[in-house]
Amino acid sequence: MNRLEDIKKYLCPPGFGVFTVNTAKERKNRLSEKLFGSVVKENIEAQWQLTIDKLKSNELPVILGIPSDCGGGIQRGANWGPLFLRDTLLELFEDTYLNALDIGDVRVIPHLLHDKYLNDATIEKTREALYCGAELPVSPLSITARCLSDIYNINPGARIFSMGGDHSVSFPLVKAWLESRNQQGIKAALIHFDAHTDLLKDRLGIDYCFGSWLYHVLDDLQSPDLCYQYGIRSTGKSRGHWENEFGINQIWAREIKAQGAELFVQQTIKALKEKQVQEIYISFDIDTLDEYYAGATGTPEPEGLTPDVCVKMITMLTDNFQLTGADVVEIAPMVGLSESVSRRTLESGALISSTLLNGLK
Ligand SMILES: [Mn+2]
């Protein structure tokens, strides 16, 4: 098995994961020009393949885009997150973005979620469409799982920053990260920023989706109290319900706003140090932020946190623990009710992303 060659088949150059010709072309061109010095398809492809080859000896944080919103469900549009977020990172945090290895996007068939939901005939036809029949996964979550496993196999120390996509993409991302930590005997904790708990066992019978991804990775943590959720505020049940049911830790947005973020993050740091945690993963749903800052998302929520508070929280955590995996999900740039809502969401997302990328160094 040649993992690097497989990666070149199931990924594509940065920004090209949404299957379209003209939509958002100017952003794709800007990105390609900056990364590869060309907007000609063959040149982009050739330069990008060299980027993939660098995975072997790479020391920089790796960037991966997963432009899939098939696991969302209230309002979709997070498939455009990776392209627009890169474009905004280049504009506002160019050094940080270019000081990482952007290996591109998962190739997304927008009607698919995970290969286990597909019949043999569909797998055969979509394999033909994507890979001339090669035996590789075809759905975004399955490709992401395979990609992470290939990267960790090539380089177990890889530090990966992923851009969603809806929050279902964190299922393969966090699962692969935890499996790799467990194999290496590294004590690991998961920090989850979100307005929602994402702890459903399934939603309308679908087990891997934006509202259930966390439920399906908890078993891979050494114990559930190594999971901390920040910013929760939109749930029909109490904090006690979730903590008792799952053994996780929750800090709600209103507690952070009333008592200050510092107090809670210091408590988290103390507890995780006592448990001898060595590495952390941060999964950041953009709806952690108040709807003023993150209106362009699937489920904007009022009474949320500000970007500055979240930057402070992330920085405190990464000053104390090695961050080795992170994601920012649910940015849906074309969903905003106005240009300014979309713009503010992208600016906030880029600020959070650059903070995470700096933490991964
Ligand atoms: Mn979420």
Side-chain angles (χ1 to χ4, degrees):
M1 175 191 331
N2 188 329
R3 292 178 192 274
L4 288 173
E5 292 311 308
D6 284 348
I7 292 173
K8 291 173 192 171
K9 293 195 182 92
Y10 58 65
L11 297 189
C12 58
F16 284 78
V18 180
F19 190 69
T20 168
V21 178
N22 280 320
T23 310
K25 196 176 183 178
E26 67 295 341
R27 287 183 197 258
K28 267 196 252 184
N29 284 346
R30 225 166 19 227
L31 186 62
S32 300
E33 187 70 57
K34 194 82 203 177
L35 289 174
F36 307 120
S38 176
V39 295
V40 179
K41 194 167 175 258
E42 290 72 24
N43 298 346
I44 295 170
E45 187 75 24
Q47 290 295 318
W48 167 71
Q49 299 216 355
L50 298 177
T51 307
I52 300 293
D53 290 333
K54 286 186 194 158
L55 273 171
K56 254 187 179 162
S57 53
N58 168 59
E59 297 284 323
L60 300 172
V62 173
I63 296 179
L64 173 68
I66 308 147
S68 164
D69 59 11
C70 190
I74 310 286
Q75 171 79 284
R76 297 198 183 171
N79 59 332
W80 288 109
L83 173 61
F84 282 61
L85 188 52
R86 285 181 177 106
D87 194 32
T88 314
L89 276 167
L90 263 181
E91 185 191 337
L92 303 177
F93 303 97
E94 181 178 309
D95 288 352
T96 303
Y97 174 69
L98 294 178
N99 252 306
L101 189 74
D102 192 342
I103 60 167
D105 285 347
V106 166
R107 294 180 69 185
V108 170
I109 297 176
H111 321 286
L112 308 187
L113 181 58
H114 191 285
D115 284 3
K116 76 168 187 170
Y117 301 127
L118 302 178
N119 60 28
D120 291 346
T122 305
I123 289 183
E124 195 181 327
K125 279 183 118 169
T126 47
R127 270 185 183 156
E128 202 53 51
L130 288 179
Y131 317 122
C132 303
E135 286 193 20
L136 292 167
V138 291
S139 309
L141 299 189
S142 306
I143 294 174
T144 303
R146 173 61 179 272
C147 182
L148 274 273
S149 146
D150 283 342
I151 294 174
Y152 288 136
N153 204 282
I154 292 164
N155 179 1
R159 303 180 309 288
I160 306 170
F161 174 70
S162 307
M163 303 188 273
D166 73 78
H167 218 154
S168 68
V169 304
S170 297
F171 166 65
L173 294 170
V174 176
K175 192 168 178 62
W177 179 82
L178 280 171
E179 284 172 357
S180 172
R181 296 323 99 180
N182 291 337
Q183 274 167 21
Q184 296 177 67
I186 295 167
K187 186 124 187 203
L190 172 62
I191 313 290
H192 172 210
F193 286 82
D194 208 316
H196 313 92
T197 66
D198 294 0
L199 278 167
L200 294 174
K201 187 177 179 193
D202 57 52
R203 191 171 185 270
L204 296 170
I206 299 297
D207 49 1
Y208 301 154
C209 73
F210 70 138
S212 65
W213 68 272
L214 180 57
Y215 179 98
H216 297 281
V217 300
L218 281 184
D219 277 352
D220 292 296
L221 276 168
Q222 280 188 23
S223 82
D225 62 0
L226 295 169
C227 174
Y228 278 78
Q229 297 189 299
Y230 292 124
I232 305 295
R233 62 190 182 280
S234 180
T235 158
K237 297 192 169 123
S238 69
R239 170 180 162 160
H241 164 82
W242 297 110
E243 290 189 331
N244 292 332
E245 179 92 7
F246 293 101
I248 49 134
N249 305 282
Q250 267 185 9
I251 295 109
W252 286 35
R254 67 161 179 264
E255 299 176 275
I256 293 170
K257 283 153 72 125
Q259 296 172 69
E262 220 162 333
L263 171 77
F264 294 105
V265 180
Q266 266 162 8
Q267 283 172 358
T268 303
I269 290 168
K270 185 165 179 278
L272 293 183
K273 286 211 162 150
E274 278 168 10
K275 290 179 186 131
Q276 294 174 323
V277 163
Q278 296 159 282
E279 294 185 10
I280 58 170
Y281 185 106
I282 297 179
S283 179
F284 197 101
D285 190 323
I286 200 70
D287 67 30
T288 307
L289 303 179
D290 187 83
E291 62 182 353
Y292 173 81
Y293 300 100
T297 187
T299 50
E301 299 284 357
E303 309 290 325
L305 304 181
T306 66
D308 286 351
V309 162
C310 293
V311 165
K312 189 176 176 189
M313 295 169 80
I314 293 169
T315 307
M316 283 176 73
L317 288 163
T318 56
D319 281 349
N320 281 277
F321 300 99
Q322 179 63 55
L323 179 72
T324 53
D327 62 59
V328 170
V329 298
E330 297 285 0
I331 295 175
M334 297 203 199
V335 160
L337 296 174
S338 68
E339 188 66 30
S340 63
V341 171
S342 177
R343 176 68 193 170
R344 250 193 327 267
T345 309
L346 284 166
E347 282 174 3
S348 308
L351 176 64
I352 299 293
S353 300
S354 75
T355 308
L356 290 168
L357 275 166
N358 287 326
L360 284 166
K361 289 206 171 107

